[in-house]
């Protein structure tokens, strides 16, 4: 998926015995498991040096989007809310004060046209966390989204 959304190619590494079982199961013959057109596109991009160029630009874009998100979170999040700087990926984990519910907050956030994934869906201990994505949004949208999120948090906390 690093070249384009939904363009998925990969490989399987394993012992000869395991690979034989996979090759013999019929999945590759009947389920479209191998897509030679997509593999050909990706190979051509690699051969032409387009993948490296694309990845360099993608890294710059994502870094800028993360920096925008981090600056907005520092500026707008209410006291007691924190966030973790990611070591990679497309998401930032925001923590509400312990005992507060990201799932309950989401109901208010949606009325303000902002959404996130509540952390409780990832682990029972993360019910106070929310996962924000920054991969798809430009700087202006990120800033507006964080302002709306901060308003939702304040409204949620005022009702506790």
């Amino acid at each position: 998926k690093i070249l384009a959304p939904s363009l998925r190619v990969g490989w399987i590494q394993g012992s000869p015995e395991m690979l034989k079982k996979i090759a013999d199961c019929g999945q590759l013959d009947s389920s479209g498991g191998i897509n030679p057109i997509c593999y050909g596109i990706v190979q051509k991009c690699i051969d032409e040096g387009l993948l490296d160029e694309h990845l360099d630009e993608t890294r710059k874009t994502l870094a800028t989007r993360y920096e925008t998100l981090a600056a907005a979170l520092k500026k707008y999040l209410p006291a007691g809310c924190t966030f973790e700087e990611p070591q990679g990926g497309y998401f930032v984990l925001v923590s509400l004060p312990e005992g507060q519910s990201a799932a309950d907050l989401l109901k208010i956030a949606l009325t303000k046209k902002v959404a996130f994934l509540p952390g409780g869906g990832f682990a029972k201990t993360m019910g106070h966390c929310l996962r924000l994505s920054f991969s798809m949004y430009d700087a202006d949208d990120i800033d507006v989204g964080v302002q709306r999120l901060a308003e939702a948090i304040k409204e949620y906390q005022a009702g506790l």
Side-chain angles (χ1 to χ4, degrees), residues 98-113:
E98 212 42 65
Q100 295 183 12
S101 169
D104 291 342
L105 168 62
L106 180 59
K107 296 170 193 166
I108 297 170
L110 291 173
T111 68
K112 300 187 180 306
K113 299 185 180 182

Side-chain angles (χ1 to χ4, degrees), residues 57-68:
E57 189 60 35
T58 299
R59 285 183 189 107
K60 289 176 191 170
T61 299
L62 290 174
T64 299
R65 289 177 181 173
Y66 166 72
E67 291 163 5
T68 300

Side-chain angles (χ1 to χ4, degrees), residues 136-149:
M136 293 179 40
Y137 306 101
D138 65 25
D140 291 338
D141 289 338
I142 290 171
D143 193 74
V144 168
V146 175
Q147 287 181 58
R148 291 176 181 175
L149 177 62

Side-chain angles (χ1 to χ4, degrees), residues 66-86:
Y66 166 72
E67 291 163 5
T68 300
L69 178 59
L73 290 170
K74 289 175 185 173
K75 182 175 181 181
Y76 299 118
L77 277 183
C81 296
T82 60
F83 69 95
E84 295 181 23
E85 182 176 340

Side-chain angles (χ1 to χ4, degrees), residues 110-126:
L110 291 173
T111 68
K112 300 187 180 306
K113 299 185 180 182
V114 66
F116 56 84
L117 287 178
F122 301 104
K124 288 182 181 182
T125 59
M126 293 176 59

Side-chain angles (χ1 to χ4, degrees), residues 13-75:
Q13 185 172 338
S15 68
E17 296 81 23
M18 181 188 295
L19 294 176
K20 180 166 179 16
K21 287 179 184 179
I22 293 169
D24 291 346
C25 79
Q27 179 75 19
L28 299 177
D29 296 329
S30 64
S31 297
I34 295 177
N35 186 336
I37 294 172
C38 285
Y39 281 92
I41 291 168
V42 171
Q43 185 63 54
K44 186 71 169 172
C45 288
I46 291 169
D47 292 345
E48 299 287 327
L50 299 174
L51 181 60
D52 290 334
E53 182 180 315
H54 172 71
L55 288 175
D56 288 344
E57 189 60 35
T58 299
R59 285 183 189 107
K60 289 176 191 170
T61 299
L62 290 174
T64 299
R65 289 177 181 173
Y66 166 72
E67 291 163 5
T68 300
L69 178 59
L73 290 170
K74 289 175 185 173
K75 182 175 181 181

